[in-house]
Amino acid sequence: MRFVAAMGVAFTHQAFAFAVYIGGGLGIAAPVWPIGQIAVSLFFVISGYIMVISSRRLFGSLRGARIFLIRRLVRILPPYWIATLLLVAILLVLRGQGTDGGDLVRSLLLWPYPNAFGAARFLPVLWVGWTLFYEMVFYLVFALFVMFSRGRAVFLVAAALFAIVLAGKAFQPASFILSFASQPVLLIFAAGMALALIREHGIVLPTWLRVLALLLCIAYLILVPVPQNPESLGFHYLAWAGAPAVLLAVAVLGGQLTLPAPAVVNRMGDASYALYLLHVPAAHFWTWVWGTLGLPGGAWAFLVTLLTGTVIASWLFFLAVERPLTRWLNRRLGAAAHDDAVLQRTGV
C-alpha cells in the first residue's frame, strides 16, 4: 500500500502539474476523484498503522520515547533534506531560478509559514513536504505516551490528537503554525493506529466487512463533492479524501491479502518514501531535458518515461543513500536494534 500511495501522488503531480504542458497536453482533464489527496491520506493511515506495529518493543519502556524519536527523525529528515537541496540545485542550475534563503531554512526545519499564493497549507520549497509537518506532530504526540502499555498508549495518543483538533476549532489561533498544526487531518493517524491495534490483537476482519469497506470507499468517491476550499484540511477534507483512504486501508489491511511476488511488493514499498520525495525534483529535471533535447512523443511519452525513471531512481536512492544512511545514523545515535529485522531492512 505504501508504494500505491506514493505512486498515486507521483502520478497526479507529474501528470497534471508537468505533463499537461508538454506539446498538446495529455488530452484528458484532471480527475474529479481526489486521487492525490486520497493517496496522501492513505500515507497518514499507514503511518499510524506502522508506528503501532514497529514500536511494539518500545511500549512500556522509559527509553522508548528517546529511541522512537531518534528513529523517526533519522528516517524522515535526512532524505527530505537531500531531496529539497536537490530540487534547489536543479532549479538554480538548469532553470536559473533562485530560492529565498529564509524559505529554504524554514522548509528544511519543517517550520510552517504562509506562502505567497495565500493557500491554507504550508507549502515548503519541496512542496510535498507539507505532509511531513503533520508526521512530526504525530510523532511528538506518540513519543509522549509510548512509555505506557500498547493499548493505553494508543488510546492516549488518539485522545491527544482529538484534543489538539478540538482546541484548534474552539480557540481559532491567529498563529499560522498553531492553526496549521491543529487541523482535523491529524485524526487520520488515529484511524491507522486503531486498525493496527485490531490486527495486533489477532483479529481478522471478515471478508464481507472488507468488501463492504471497499464498496463504501467507491461510494464516497462518487457521492461526496469536492470541498469549496480543497486546500483546507478540515472536516470536509476528512469526508472527501480521508474517509475513502481509511476505508481502503480497512479493506486491504483488515486481514490477510495474498499478492503475487510478495518480496517484490515489499521492496517496492521500501522505496515509497524516496518516490514521494524525488518525484518533484525528477519532474523538473526531466522537463528541462525534454525541452532542451526536443524529444519526440508528446505528453504521454514524457509522462511514461518520467514515471519509469522516477521509480528506478527512487529504488536506487533507497538502496544507495536512504537505507545505509538510516542504519548508520541509528547506530551512531544509539537507536539501532540488530535483532529487529524490519528496522534493519527498511530503517522504519
Side-chain angles (χ1 to χ4, degrees):
M1 284 189 70
R2 292 174 296 162
F3 180 79
V4 171
M7 199 64 178
V9 174
F11 171 79
T12 301
H13 289 159
Q14 292 185 343
F16 300 106
F18 292 92
V20 290
Y21 300 108
I22 300 297
L26 295 170
I28 59 174
V32 175
W33 291 357
I35 296 174
Q37 298 304 322
I38 291 176
V40 166
S41 297
L42 189 57
F43 261 126
F44 291 158
V45 178
I46 295 171
S47 181
Y49 184 93
I50 290 179
M51 290 311 100
V52 174
I53 302 296
S54 64
S55 301
R56 57 168 63 103
R57 299 186 180 196
L58 302 179
F59 288 120
S61 168
L62 293 178
R63 299 174 58 247
R66 173 184 171 276
I67 294 174
F68 174 81
L69 281 177
I70 289 175
R71 288 183 181 179
R72 300 324 303 161
L73 292 175
V74 162
R75 179 77 171 93
I76 296 299
L77 290 180
Y80 167 67
W81 290 337
I82 293 171
T84 297
L85 295 176
L86 176 62
L87 175 62
V88 170
I90 289 173
L91 292 177
L92 180 62
V93 175
L94 301 184
R95 295 196 165 192
Q97 179 180 333
T99 302
D100 180 83
D103 288 351
L104 177 59
V105 171
R106 288 190 290 268
S107 295
L108 292 173
L109 295 175
L110 291 175
W111 188 265
Y113 58 93
N115 64 81
F117 303 102
R121 296 183 191 178
F122 157 52
L123 293 179
V125 172
L126 180 59
W127 27 278
V128 296
W130 71 267
T131 63
L132 302 183
F133 172 77
Y134 286 110
E135 294 279 355
M136 290 300 167
V137 173
F138 171 56
Y139 296 157
L140 288 173
V141 174
F142 195 97
L144 289 175
F145 301 106
V146 76
M147 69 179 71
F148 296 100
S149 63
R150 182 180 59 192
R152 182 174 295 180
V154 169
F155 172 80
L156 291 172
V157 172
L161 294 178
F162 273 93
I164 291 171
V165 171
L166 291 176
K169 292 301 178 184
F171 297 105
Q172 297 289 319
S175 164
F176 181 81
I177 296 175
L178 294 178
S179 176
F180 191 66
S182 58
Q183 291 301 310
V185 70
L186 275 176
L187 302 180
I188 300 176
F189 293 103
M193 289 194 301
L195 183 57
L197 201 57
I198 291 172
R199 297 293 288 124
E200 283 286 88
H201 279 91
I203 300 173
V204 177
L205 300 181
T207 301
W208 68 264
L209 184 58
R210 295 167 67 190
V211 172
L212 178 61
L214 183 60
L215 294 175
L216 287 175
C217 173
I218 297 172
Y220 258 101
L221 293 174
I222 296 172
L223 299 176
V224 176
V226 178
Q228 285 187 331
N229 181 11
E231 292 296 313
S232 172
L233 299 170
F235 289 107
H236 289 299
Y237 181 89
L238 294 186
W240 176 57
V246 172
L247 289 167
L248 181 59
V250 169
V252 175
L253 300 175
Q256 295 297 323
L257 184 66
T258 303
L259 294 172
V264 175
V265 173
N266 286 333
R267 297 298 85 76
M268 292 167 65
D270 293 342
S272 60
Y273 184 48
L275 176 59
Y276 183 76
L277 293 176
L278 294 179
H279 75 271
V280 175
H284 281 286
F285 173 75
W286 194 234
T287 299
W288 177 83
V289 170
W290 196 271
T292 301
L293 300 181
L295 297 177
W300 280 104
F302 170 87
L303 179 59
V304 170
T305 52
L306 172 57
L307 280 170
T308 302
T310 304
V311 170
I312 294 172
S314 299
W315 176 239
L316 294 175
F317 180 85
F318 170 75
L319 289 178
V321 179
E322 183 183 345
R323 185 169 63 179
L325 180 60
T326 300
R327 287 174 172 175
W328 182 78
L329 288 172
N330 274 323
R331 288 196 300 269
R332 295 287 294 178
L333 297 173
H338 297 292
D339 58 344
D340 190 329
V342 175
L343 177 66
Q344 292 306 314
R345 191 190 82 236
T346 68
V348 172

Coordinates of all heavy atoms in Angstrom, one line a residue, residues 238-316:
L238 N -11.7 15.5 5.5 CA -11.8 14.2 6.0 C -12.8 13.3 5.3 O -12.6 12.2 4.9 CB -12.1 14.2 7.5 CG -11.1 14.7 8.5 CD1 -11.5 14.5 9.9 CD2 -9.7 14.1 8.2
A239 N -14.0 14.0 5.0 CA -15.1 13.2 4.3 C -14.7 13.0 2.8 O -15.0 12.0 2.2 CB -16.4 14.0 4.4
W240 N -14.0 14.0 2.3 CA -13.7 14.0 0.8 C -12.5 13.0 0.5 O -12.6 12.3 -0.4 CB -13.3 15.4 0.4 CG -12.9 15.6 -1.0 CD1 -13.6 15.2 -2.2 CD2 -11.7 16.2 -1.5 NE1 -12.9 15.6 -3.3 CE2 -11.7 16.2 -2.9 CE3 -10.6 16.8 -0.9 CZ2 -10.7 16.7 -3.7 CZ3 -9.6 17.3 -1.6 CH2 -9.6 17.3 -3.0
A241 N -11.5 13.1 1.3 CA -10.3 12.3 1.0 C -9.9 11.4 2.1 O -9.3 10.3 1.9 CB -9.1 13.3 0.7
G242 N -10.1 11.8 3.4 CA -9.7 10.9 4.5 C -10.5 9.7 4.6 O -10.0 8.6 4.8
A243 N -11.9 9.8 4.6 CA -12.7 8.6 4.7 C -12.5 7.5 3.7 O -12.3 6.3 4.0 CB -14.2 9.0 4.7
P244 N -12.4 7.9 2.4 CA -12.0 6.8 1.4 C -10.7 6.1 1.7 O -10.6 4.9 1.5 CB -12.0 7.6 0.1 CG -12.8 8.8 0.3 CD -12.6 9.2 1.7
A245 N -9.7 6.9 2.2 CA -8.4 6.3 2.5 C -8.5 5.3 3.6 O -7.9 4.2 3.6 CB -7.4 7.4 2.8
V246 N -9.3 5.7 4.6 CA -9.5 4.8 5.8 C -10.2 3.5 5.4 O -9.8 2.4 5.7 CB -10.2 5.5 6.9 CG1 -10.6 4.5 8.0 CG2 -9.4 6.7 7.5
L247 N -11.2 3.7 4.6 CA -12.0 2.5 4.1 C -11.1 1.6 3.2 O -11.2 0.4 3.3 CB -13.2 3.0 3.4 CG -14.3 3.6 4.2 CD1 -15.3 4.3 3.3 CD2 -15.0 2.6 5.1
L248 N -10.3 2.2 2.4 CA -9.4 1.4 1.6 C -8.4 0.6 2.4 O -8.1 -0.5 2.2 CB -8.7 2.3 0.6 CG -7.7 1.6 -0.4 CD1 -8.4 0.5 -1.2 CD2 -7.0 2.6 -1.3
A249 N -7.9 1.3 3.5 CA -7.0 0.6 4.4 C -7.6 -0.5 5.1 O -7.0 -1.6 5.3 CB -6.4 1.7 5.4
V250 N -8.9 -0.3 5.6 CA -9.6 -1.4 6.2 C -9.8 -2.6 5.3 O -9.6 -3.7 5.7 CB -11.0 -0.9 6.7 CG1 -11.9 -2.1 7.1 CG2 -10.8 0.1 7.8
A251 N -10.1 -2.3 4.0 CA -10.2 -3.4 3.0 C -9.0 -4.2 2.8 O -9.0 -5.4 2.7 CB -10.8 -2.8 1.7
V252 N -7.8 -3.5 2.8 CA -6.6 -4.1 2.5 C -5.8 -4.7 3.7 O -5.3 -5.8 3.7 CB -5.6 -3.1 1.7 CG1 -4.3 -3.7 1.5 CG2 -6.3 -2.7 0.4
L253 N -5.8 -3.9 4.8 CA -5.1 -4.3 6.0 C -5.9 -5.0 7.0 O -5.3 -5.5 8.0 CB -4.4 -3.0 6.6 CG -3.5 -2.2 5.7 CD1 -3.1 -0.9 6.5 CD2 -2.3 -3.0 5.3
G254 N -7.2 -5.1 6.8 CA -8.0 -5.8 7.8 C -7.9 -7.3 7.9 O -8.5 -7.9 8.8
G255 N -7.1 -7.9 7.1 CA -6.9 -9.3 7.1 C -5.8 -9.7 6.2 O -5.1 -8.9 5.6
Q256 N -5.6 -11.0 6.0 CA -4.6 -11.5 5.1 C -4.9 -11.1 3.6 O -6.1 -11.1 3.2 CB -4.5 -13.0 5.2 CG -4.0 -13.5 6.5 CD -2.6 -13.0 6.9 OE1 -1.8 -12.9 6.0 NE2 -2.4 -12.7 8.2
L257 N -3.9 -10.8 2.9 CA -4.0 -10.4 1.5 C -2.9 -11.1 0.7 O -1.7 -10.8 0.9 CB -4.0 -8.9 1.3 CG -4.2 -8.4 -0.1 CD1 -5.7 -8.7 -0.5 CD2 -4.0 -6.9 -0.2
T258 N -3.3 -12.0 -0.1 CA -2.3 -12.7 -0.9 C -2.0 -12.0 -2.2 O -2.9 -11.7 -3.0 CB -2.8 -14.2 -1.2 OG1 -3.1 -14.8 0.0 CG2 -1.7 -14.9 -2.0
L259 N -0.7 -11.6 -2.4 CA -0.3 -10.9 -3.6 C 0.8 -11.7 -4.3 O 1.6 -12.4 -3.7 CB 0.3 -9.5 -3.2 CG -0.7 -8.5 -2.5 CD1 0.1 -7.3 -2.1 CD2 -1.8 -8.1 -3.5
P260 N 0.8 -11.6 -5.6 CA 1.9 -12.3 -6.4 C 3.2 -11.6 -6.1 O 3.3 -10.4 -5.9 CB 1.5 -12.0 -7.8 CG 0.6 -10.8 -7.8 CD -0.1 -10.9 -6.5
A261 N 4.2 -12.4 -6.0 CA 5.6 -11.9 -5.8 C 5.7 -11.0 -4.6 O 6.0 -9.8 -4.7 CB 6.1 -11.2 -7.0
P262 N 5.3 -11.5 -3.4 CA 5.3 -10.6 -2.2 C 6.6 -9.9 -1.9 O 6.7 -8.8 -1.4 CB 4.9 -11.6 -1.1 CG 5.2 -12.9 -1.6 CD 5.0 -12.9 -3.1
A263 N 7.7 -10.6 -2.2 CA 9.0 -10.0 -1.9 C 9.2 -8.7 -2.8 O 9.7 -7.7 -2.3 CB 10.2 -11.0 -2.2
V264 N 8.8 -8.8 -4.0 CA 8.9 -7.6 -4.9 C 8.0 -6.5 -4.4 O 8.4 -5.3 -4.4 CB 8.5 -8.0 -6.4 CG1 8.5 -6.8 -7.3 CG2 9.5 -9.1 -6.9
V265 N 6.8 -6.9 -4.0 CA 5.9 -5.9 -3.5 C 6.5 -5.2 -2.2 O 6.4 -3.9 -2.1 CB 4.5 -6.5 -3.1 CG1 3.6 -5.6 -2.4 CG2 3.8 -7.1 -4.4
N266 N 7.1 -5.9 -1.3 CA 7.7 -5.3 -0.2 C 8.8 -4.4 -0.5 O 9.0 -3.3 0.1 CB 8.2 -6.4 0.8 CG 7.0 -7.1 1.5 OD1 6.0 -6.5 1.7 ND2 7.3 -8.4 1.9
R267 N 9.6 -4.8 -1.5 CA 10.8 -4.0 -1.9 C 10.3 -2.7 -2.5 O 10.8 -1.6 -2.3 CB 11.7 -4.7 -2.9 CG 12.3 -6.0 -2.4 CD 13.3 -5.7 -1.3 NE 12.6 -5.7 0.0 CZ 12.2 -6.8 0.6 NH1 12.4 -8.0 0.1 NH2 11.6 -6.7 1.8
M268 N 9.2 -2.7 -3.3 CA 8.6 -1.5 -3.8 C 8.1 -0.6 -2.7 O 8.3 0.6 -2.8 CB 7.5 -1.9 -4.8 CG 7.9 -2.6 -6.1 SD 6.6 -3.4 -7.0 CE 5.6 -1.9 -7.5
G269 N 7.5 -1.2 -1.7 CA 7.1 -0.4 -0.6 C 8.2 0.3 0.2 O 8.1 1.4 0.6
D270 N 9.3 -0.4 0.3 CA 10.5 0.1 0.9 C 11.0 1.4 0.3 O 11.5 2.3 0.9 CB 11.7 -0.9 1.0 CG 11.4 -2.1 1.8 OD1 10.4 -2.0 2.7 OD2 12.0 -3.1 1.7
A271 N 10.8 1.5 -1.0 CA 11.3 2.7 -1.8 C 10.2 3.8 -1.9 O 10.4 4.8 -2.6 CB 11.8 2.3 -3.2
S272 N 9.1 3.6 -1.2 CA 7.9 4.5 -1.4 C 8.3 5.9 -0.9 O 7.8 6.9 -1.5 CB 6.7 4.0 -0.7 OG 6.9 3.8 0.7
Y273 N 9.0 6.0 0.2 CA 9.3 7.4 0.7 C 10.2 8.1 -0.3 O 10.1 9.3 -0.5 CB 10.0 7.3 2.1 CG 10.2 8.6 2.7 CD1 9.3 9.6 2.8 CD2 11.5 8.9 3.3 CE1 9.5 10.8 3.4 CE2 11.7 10.1 3.9 CZ 10.8 11.1 4.0 OH 11.0 12.3 4.6
A274 N 11.2 7.4 -0.8 CA 12.1 8.0 -1.8 C 11.3 8.5 -3.0 O 11.5 9.6 -3.6 CB 13.2 7.0 -2.3
L275 N 10.3 7.7 -3.5 CA 9.4 8.0 -4.6 C 8.6 9.3 -4.3 O 8.5 10.2 -5.1 CB 8.5 6.9 -4.9 CG 7.5 7.1 -6.0 CD1 8.1 7.5 -7.3 CD2 6.6 5.8 -6.2
Y276 N 8.1 9.3 -3.1 CA 7.3 10.5 -2.7 C 8.2 11.8 -2.7 O 7.7 12.8 -3.1 CB 6.8 10.3 -1.2 CG 5.9 11.4 -0.7 CD1 4.6 11.5 -1.2 CD2 6.4 12.3 0.2 CE1 3.8 12.5 -0.7 CE2 5.6 13.3 0.7 CZ 4.3 13.4 0.2 OH 3.5 14.4 0.7
L277 N 9.4 11.7 -2.2 CA 10.3 12.9 -2.2 C 10.9 13.3 -3.5 O 11.0 14.5 -3.8 CB 11.4 12.6 -1.2 CG 11.1 12.5 0.3 CD1 12.4 12.1 1.1 CD2 10.5 13.7 0.8
L278 N 11.2 12.3 -4.3 CA 12.0 12.6 -5.5 C 11.2 12.9 -6.8 O 11.7 13.3 -7.8 CB 12.9 11.4 -5.8 CG 14.1 11.1 -4.8 CD1 14.9 9.9 -5.2 CD2 15.0 12.4 -4.7
H279 N 9.9 12.6 -6.7 CA 9.1 12.8 -8.0 C 9.0 14.2 -8.4 O 8.9 14.5 -9.6 CB 7.7 12.1 -7.8 CG 6.7 12.9 -7.0 ND1 6.6 12.8 -5.7 CD2 5.8 13.9 -7.4 CE1 5.6 13.6 -5.3 NE2 5.1 14.3 -6.3
V280 N 9.1 15.2 -7.5 CA 9.0 16.6 -7.9 C 10.4 17.0 -8.5 O 10.4 17.6 -9.6 CB 8.6 17.5 -6.8 CG1 8.7 19.0 -7.2 CG2 7.2 17.2 -6.3
P281 N 11.5 16.8 -7.8 CA 12.8 17.1 -8.5 C 13.0 16.4 -9.8 O 13.5 17.0 -10.8 CB 13.9 16.7 -7.5 CG 13.2 16.7 -6.2 CD 11.7 16.3 -6.4
A282 N 12.6 15.1 -9.9 CA 12.7 14.4 -11.1 C 11.9 15.0 -12.2 O 12.3 15.1 -13.4 CB 12.2 12.9 -10.9
A283 N 10.7 15.5 -11.9 CA 9.8 16.1 -12.9 C 10.4 17.4 -13.5 O 10.4 17.7 -14.7 CB 8.4 16.4 -12.3
H284 N 11.0 18.2 -12.6 CA 11.7 19.4 -13.1 C 12.9 19.1 -13.9 O 13.1 19.7 -15.0 CB 12.1 20.3 -11.9 CG 11.0 21.1 -11.2 ND1 10.5 22.2 -11.8 CD2 10.4 20.9 -10.1 CE1 9.6 22.7 -11.0 NE2 9.5 22.0 -10.0
F285 N 13.7 18.1 -13.5 CA 14.8 17.7 -14.3 C 14.4 17.2 -15.7 O 15.0 17.6 -16.7 CB 15.6 16.6 -13.6 CG 16.8 16.0 -14.4 CD1 17.9 16.8 -14.5 CD2 16.6 14.8 -14.9 CE1 19.0 16.2 -15.3 CE2 17.7 14.2 -15.7 CZ 18.8 15.0 -15.8
W286 N 13.4 16.3 -15.7 CA 13.0 15.7 -17.0 C 12.4 16.7 -17.9 O 12.5 16.6 -19.1 CB 12.1 14.5 -16.7 CG 11.9 13.6 -17.9 CD1 10.7 13.3 -18.5 CD2 12.9 13.0 -18.7 NE1 10.9 12.4 -19.6 CE2 12.3 12.2 -19.7 CE3 14.3 13.0 -18.7 CZ2 13.0 11.5 -20.7 CZ3 15.0 12.2 -19.6 CH2 14.3 11.5 -20.6
T287 N 11.7 17.7 -17.3 CA 11.1 18.8 -18.1 C 12.2 19.5 -18.8 O 12.1 19.9 -20.0 CB 10.2 19.7 -17.3 OG1 9.2 19.0 -16.6 CG2 9.7 20.9 -18.1
W288 N 13.3 19.8 -18.1 CA 14.4 20.5 -18.7 C 15.0 19.7 -19.8 O 15.3 20.2 -20.9 CB 15.4 20.9 -17.7 CG 16.6 21.5 -18.2 CD1 16.8 22.9 -18.5 CD2 17.9 20.9 -18.6 NE1 18.1 23.1 -19.0 CE2 18.7 21.9 -19.0 CE3 18.3 19.6 -18.5 CZ2 20.0 21.6 -19.5 CZ3 19.6 19.3 -18.9 CH2 20.5 20.3 -19.4
V289 N 15.3 18.4 -19.6 CA 15.9 17.5 -20.5 C 15.0 17.4 -21.8 O 15.5 17.5 -22.9 CB 16.1 16.1 -19.9 CG1 16.5 15.1 -21.0 CG2 17.2 16.2 -18.8
W290 N 13.7 17.2 -21.6 CA 12.8 17.1 -22.7 C 12.8 18.3 -23.6 O 12.8 18.2 -24.8 CB 11.4 16.8 -22.2 CG 10.4 16.2 -23.2 CD1 9.6 17.0 -24.0 CD2 10.1 14.9 -23.4 NE1 8.8 16.1 -24.8 CE2 9.2 14.8 -24.4 CE3 10.6 13.7 -22.9 CZ2 8.7 13.6 -24.9 CZ3 10.2 12.5 -23.4 CH2 9.2 12.5 -24.4
G291 N 12.7 19.5 -23.0 CA 12.7 20.7 -23.7 C 14.0 21.0 -24.4 O 14.1 21.5 -25.5
T292 N 15.1 20.7 -23.7 CA 16.4 21.0 -24.2 C 16.8 20.1 -25.4 O 17.3 20.6 -26.5 CB 17.5 20.8 -23.2 OG1 17.2 21.7 -22.1 CG2 18.9 21.1 -23.7
L293 N 16.4 18.9 -25.3 CA 16.8 17.9 -26.4 C 15.7 17.9 -27.5 O 15.9 17.3 -28.5 CB 17.0 16.5 -25.8 CG 18.2 16.4 -24.8 CD1 18.3 14.9 -24.4 CD2 19.5 16.9 -25.5
G294 N 14.5 18.4 -27.2 CA 13.4 18.4 -28.1 C 13.0 17.0 -28.4 O 12.7 16.6 -29.6
L295 N 12.8 16.2 -27.4 CA 12.5 14.8 -27.6 C 11.1 14.6 -28.1 O 10.2 15.3 -27.8 CB 12.6 14.0 -26.2 CG 14.0 14.0 -25.6 CD1 13.9 13.3 -24.2 CD2 15.0 13.3 -26.5
P296 N 10.9 13.6 -29.0 CA 9.6 13.4 -29.6 C 8.7 12.5 -28.7 O 9.1 12.0 -27.8 CB 10.0 12.6 -30.9 CG 11.2 11.8 -30.5 CD 11.9 12.7 -29.5
G297 N 7.4 12.5 -29.1 CA 6.5 11.6 -28.5 C 5.3 12.2 -27.8 O 4.4 11.6 -27.4
G298 N 5.4 13.5 -27.4 CA 4.3 14.2 -26.8 C 4.2 13.9 -25.3 O 5.1 13.4 -24.7
A299 N 3.1 14.4 -24.7 CA 2.9 14.4 -23.3 C 2.9 13.0 -22.7 O 3.5 12.8 -21.6 CB 1.7 15.2 -22.9
W300 N 2.3 12.1 -23.4 CA 2.2 10.7 -22.8 C 3.5 10.0 -22.7 O 3.9 9.3 -21.8 CB 1.2 9.9 -23.5 CG -0.2 10.2 -23.1 CD1 -1.2 10.9 -23.8 CD2 -0.8 9.8 -21.9 NE1 -2.3 11.0 -23.1 CE2 -2.2 10.3 -21.9 CE3 -0.4 9.0 -20.8 CZ2 -3.1 10.1 -20.8 CZ3 -1.3 8.9 -19.7 CH2 -2.6 9.4 -19.8
A301 N 4.3 10.2 -23.8 CA 5.7 9.7 -23.8 C 6.5 10.3 -22.7 O 7.3 9.6 -22.0 CB 6.4 9.9 -25.1
F302 N 6.4 11.6 -22.5 CA 7.0 12.3 -21.4 C 6.6 11.7 -20.1 O 7.5 11.4 -19.2 CB 6.6 13.8 -21.5 CG 7.0 14.6 -20.3 CD1 8.3 15.2 -20.2 CD2 6.2 14.8 -19.2 CE1 8.7 15.9 -19.1 CE2 6.6 15.5 -18.1 CZ 7.8 16.1 -18.0
L303 N 5.3 11.5 -19.9 CA 4.9 11.0 -18.6 C 5.3 9.6 -18.3 O 5.8 9.3 -17.2 CB 3.3 11.1 -18.5 CG 2.7 10.6 -17.2 CD1 3.2 11.4 -16.0 CD2 1.1 10.7 -17.3
V304 N 5.2 8.8 -19.2 CA 5.6 7.3 -19.0 C 7.1 7.2 -18.7 O 7.5 6.5 -17.8 CB 5.2 6.5 -20.3 CG1 5.9 5.1 -20.2 CG2 3.7 6.4 -20.4
T305 N 7.9 7.9 -19.5 CA 9.4 7.9 -19.3 C 9.7 8.5 -17.9 O 10.6 8.1 -17.2 CB 10.1 8.6 -20.4 OG1 9.6 9.9 -20.6 CG2 10.0 7.8 -21.7
L306 N 9.0 9.6 -17.6 CA 9.2 10.3 -16.3 C 8.9 9.4 -15.1 O 9.7 9.2 -14.2 CB 8.5 11.6 -16.2 CG 8.5 12.3 -14.9 CD1 9.9 12.7 -14.5 CD2 7.6 13.6 -15.0
L307 N 7.7 8.8 -15.1 CA 7.3 7.9 -14.1 C 8.3 6.7 -13.9 O 8.7 6.3 -12.8 CB 5.9 7.4 -14.3 CG 4.8 8.4 -13.9 CD1 3.4 7.8 -14.4 CD2 4.7 8.6 -12.4
T308 N 8.6 6.1 -15.1 CA 9.5 5.0 -15.0 C 10.9 5.4 -14.5 O 11.4 4.7 -13.6 CB 9.7 4.4 -16.5 OG1 8.4 4.0 -17.0 CG2 10.6 3.2 -16.4
G309 N 11.4 6.5 -15.0 CA 12.7 6.9 -14.5 C 12.7 7.3 -13.0 O 13.6 7.0 -12.2
T310 N 11.6 7.9 -12.5 CA 11.4 8.2 -11.1 C 11.4 7.0 -10.2 O 12.0 7.0 -9.2 CB 10.2 9.1 -10.9 OG1 10.2 10.2 -11.7 CG2 10.1 9.5 -9.5
V311 N 10.7 6.0 -10.6 CA 10.6 4.7 -9.9 C 12.0 4.1 -9.8 O 12.5 3.7 -8.7 CB 9.6 3.7 -10.5 CG1 9.7 2.4 -9.8 CG2 8.2 4.3 -10.3
I312 N 12.7 4.1 -10.9 CA 14.1 3.5 -10.9 C 15.0 4.3 -10.0 O 15.8 3.8 -9.2 CB 14.6 3.4 -12.3 CG1 13.8 2.4 -13.1 CG2 16.1 3.0 -12.3 CD1 14.1 2.4 -14.6
A313 N 15.0 5.6 -10.2 CA 15.8 6.5 -9.4 C 15.5 6.4 -7.9 O 16.4 6.4 -7.0 CB 15.7 7.9 -9.8
S314 N 14.2 6.2 -7.5 CA 13.8 6.1 -6.1 C 14.4 4.8 -5.5 O 14.8 4.8 -4.4 CB 12.3 6.1 -6.0 OG 11.8 7.4 -6.5
W315 N 14.3 3.7 -6.3 CA 14.8 2.5 -5.8 C 16.3 2.5 -5.5 O 16.8 2.1 -4.5 CB 14.4 1.4 -6.7 CG 15.0 0.0 -6.4 CD1 15.8 -0.8 -7.1 CD2 14.7 -0.7 -5.2 NE1 16.1 -1.9 -6.5 CE2 15.5 -1.9 -5.3 CE3 14.0 -0.5 -4.0 CZ2 15.5 -2.9 -4.3 CZ3 14.0 -1.5 -3.0 CH2 14.7 -2.6 -3.2
L316 N 17.0 3.2 -6.5 CA 18.5 3.3 -6.3 C 18.8 4.2 -5.2 O 19.8 4.0 -4.4 CB 19.1 3.8 -7.6 CG 19.0 2.9 -8.9 CD1 19.5 3.6 -10.1 CD2 19.8 1.6 -8.6

